[in-house]
Amino acid sequence: MSIGLKPSTTSQTTGQQTSRGSTWDEPLSGSDLRLALIGCGPRGMYCLERLTHVLETHPTSRRVRVDIYEPAPYPGAGNIYDLRQPAYLRMNFSNRHINACHPNARLGEGSPKPILTESFLQWNQSRQLCDNAPESYAPRSVIGGYLHDAYQQVIARLSNVADVSLHPSQVTNLRRIGSRWRIWSERMTVNYDSVVVTVGHEGWRCSQPHRPDEVIADVACVFPTTERLSETAIPAGSVVAMRGFGLTWIDAVLALTEGRGGKFVQDEHKRWSYTQSGREPAKLHPFSRTGRPMLPKVDASIGDGLSTLWNRYRRKLARLRRDASSDNDRLLHFRTDVWPLVIAAADEALRSMRPDLPSVDVSDWYRDWKRWRICGDDVRHRLQHAYDVATGVAPVDEAWALGETWRRLYSKLVAIVSHDGLVAESLSDFESVAREMERIAFGPPAENVGRLLALHDVGLIDFNNLIEFEPCRSSNGSLSLCCDGESVAVDKLVDATIPGPFHSQRGGLLERLMNDPMLSPTHGPLRIDPQGRPLGEEDQPLPNIAVFGRSTEASVLGNDTLSRTLHSEIDRWSEAFAASLAK
């Protein structure tokens, strides 16, 4: 969809010509400083905004040169928020939470002029590109327009205090050369004094097989959906098996239905119906390891009335963190220290909202949820009930209480868990709970679940093979879903999952970084310190490099987000950069 913004397709941003051949950079003078930003989606744009701030507030006589490497046509938006993607691909983060402005920016006399001043709601108010209600969920393409516009504002300010060049190419390798870093891109090779890596998902790519004998999918990556799930790839009338049951699966389902010309309509009772175009697959068979669905988000304003409760439990979690920080011999245990406070807050929230309930025990509900392995009509009933709660047709329940509590306390959980805040033997407990809370707390908007229910009711989605069934390919090449002698013939297999944060692209930039001698002995996920510097053995950081984003999940909880209020690593990096300029 077009929103009136032009892509940044030129090889230069402010008059600095980008080399077209493979050349070594010219030597810099002793006072010059050259910085590379590799990847410029939202997180990269946030780094540029903070860099602009420190250069404006800490003037330096040093010449600072900034090279931005971003192959996507809309820097600031990247691949995830590409402005050209279809409008049926929606956010699962409501409008009121989307704000590219730095949370500490201040307007008013005597304050430095903020670099960004508009939240998404303010930006969209004059453009009306989508529903501007705070609790609505915008198309990702519209959010991409907002982020790309923010990038352009940042670059306009940064160009006043630094030499800035945009290189629309991909970095293929980097290597430490003494105290500097050498970067190889598709067009040139350059040495840098400092490097920031924010490559996010590392582009659209396939998930790694869960097992060596796993059947290879016909469609191994669903993005971009207009290409990967076209009628050439998945012909109309096909019977399709789909690996995955999360947000990516929902996007794929909408691409194969609404994206094929089908029409959804919502009635006055908030029920959705679907009219087929005739271009859809005949049947969609999702299958997953657990069968547990993503629950829809409830209007967040429902929990606003419990602000006193949320603040009280935030203080309790913060006190836990302070007490542990003051005792060097004690780290927190998730199950015994943190989780009981989450459950207590959820119990109290539900009692406050539902005084009619004879008893409340969110812990029992969660235990039953974890044991739940059902399919067919039971899945449909569970989704219908969750949809009714989300739309206000049914009263809130235990799932709402636990999901809302996790969301409301999340900033304090980030502070507790990040940078080795939990004792090592407690990490598996936390990771197990965090996986479930992704389904319970961070699911899709209710309207998308309503659409899934409509597709099930017209027979396009079949939940009967959701668990236990696995894809099989016979000697003649035919596909089926198999389980204990039962089988369902299918025409195509689609992998509707995306790689996890610890699954770096094979041969990609992050994997090459992990081969640095200071890091490779750790043989584990990438870890960073509070300034974003990768950590090696004995927690020694690599010099003059920072990594931000989802690949650092081993150190920073929940960093695959647009939020600028949850994490402080980029702020700390920019402060350290300012200190290095002073030296």
Side-chain angles (χ1 to χ4, degrees), residues 72 84 172 247 403 466 524 546 555:
R84 300 165 299 180
T172 57
L247 297 175
L466 193 53
S555 295

Side-chain angles (χ1 to χ4, degrees), residues 336-357:
T336 57
D337 295 324
V338 181
W339 185 239
L341 284 178
V342 175
I343 291 295
D347 281 339
E348 188 172 341
L350 187 55
R351 283 195 299 270
S352 298
M353 296 294 292
R354 294 287 307 278
D356 58 302
L357 292 177

Side-chain angles (χ1 to χ4, degrees), residues 18-23 38 67-70 167-174 182-190 192 509:
T18 298
S19 300
R20 292 294 181 179
S22 178
T23 60
I38 305 174
D67 285 347
I68 304 165
Y69 292 88
E70 175 52 64
H167 306 275
S169 59
Q170 186 169 354
V171 171
T172 57
N173 196 6
L174 79 167
R182 182 168 297 167
I183 284 179
W184 286 261
S185 74
E186 297 165 325
R187 294 176 176 170
M188 59 186 185
T189 305
V190 186
Y192 289 94
L509 190 67

Side-chain angles (χ1 to χ4, degrees), residues 67-313:
D67 285 347
I68 304 165
Y69 292 88
E70 175 52 64
Y74 296 96
N79 287 317
I80 305 298
Y81 303 100
D82 193 306
L83 279 66
R84 300 165 299 180
Q85 62 190 304
Y88 56 74
L89 298 180
R90 301 170 181 87
M91 299 291 295
N92 73 319
F93 202 45
S94 65
N95 292 348
R96 74 168 177 170
H97 294 302
I98 299 172
N99 191 348
C101 305
H102 191 272
N104 294 333
R106 295 287 184 270
L107 291 169
E109 188 175 352
S111 300
K113 183 181 179 182
I115 299 159
L116 298 173
T117 60
E118 286 186 313
S119 69
F120 171 69
L121 287 172
Q122 293 168 324
W123 181 86
N124 190 47
Q125 182 67 40
S126 60
R127 294 166 174 81
Q128 293 299 313
L129 298 171
C130 64
D131 184 357
N132 208 42
E135 297 309 321
S136 292
Y137 295 83
R140 293 205 288 266
S141 56
V142 175
I143 300 303
Y146 168 66
L147 295 170
H148 182 57
D149 189 38
Y151 163 83
Q152 292 176 321
Q153 294 177 55
V154 169
I155 291 299
R157 286 279 288 274
L158 180 58
S159 299
N160 294 327
V161 289
D163 298 331
V164 186
S165 295
L166 171 65
H167 306 275
S169 59
Q170 186 169 354
V171 171
T172 57
N173 196 6
L174 79 167
R175 185 181 303 163
R176 192 157 47 92
I177 308 293
S179 63
R180 306 181 81 194
W181 288 87
R182 182 168 297 167
I183 284 179
W184 286 261
S185 74
E186 297 165 325
R187 294 176 176 170
M188 59 186 185
T189 305
V190 186
N191 289 343
Y192 289 94
D193 300 288
S194 187
V195 173
V196 179
V197 180
T198 57
V199 293
H201 292 254
E202 297 186 90
W204 296 129
R205 55 194 177 94
C206 307
S207 292
Q208 297 180 10
H210 299 295
R211 301 187 314 272
D213 61 342
E214 191 171 89
V215 175
I216 302 300
D218 299 292
V219 176
C221 176
V222 302
F223 298 111
T225 58
T226 51
E227 298 175 17
R228 303 292 180 87
L229 297 175
S230 67
E231 290 184 65
T232 300
I234 307 292
S238 302
V239 177
V240 183
M242 306 182 75
R243 178 184 289 118
F245 199 41
L247 297 175
T248 302
W249 171 74
I250 294 174
D251 285 345
V253 168
L254 294 176
L256 293 170
T257 54
E258 189 173 3
R260 298 278 183 95
K263 300 296 182 183
F264 288 102
V265 176
Q266 188 180 33
D267 65 19
E268 66 275 15
H269 303 294
K270 300 183 179 180
R271 292 293 192 267
W272 290 85
S273 59
Y274 181 75
T275 302
Q276 299 186 49
S277 67
R279 296 161 51 203
E280 301 90 347
K283 190 78 70 175
L284 304 175
H285 292 278
F287 63 94
S288 75
R289 284 169 288 179
T290 70
R292 293 190 286 275
M294 302 286 284
L295 300 182
K297 288 191 177 75
V298 180
D299 187 332
S301 63
I302 292 175
D304 288 346
L306 302 176
S307 58
T308 301
L309 184 153
W310 305 129
N311 287 333
R312 178 155 42 85
Y313 278 95

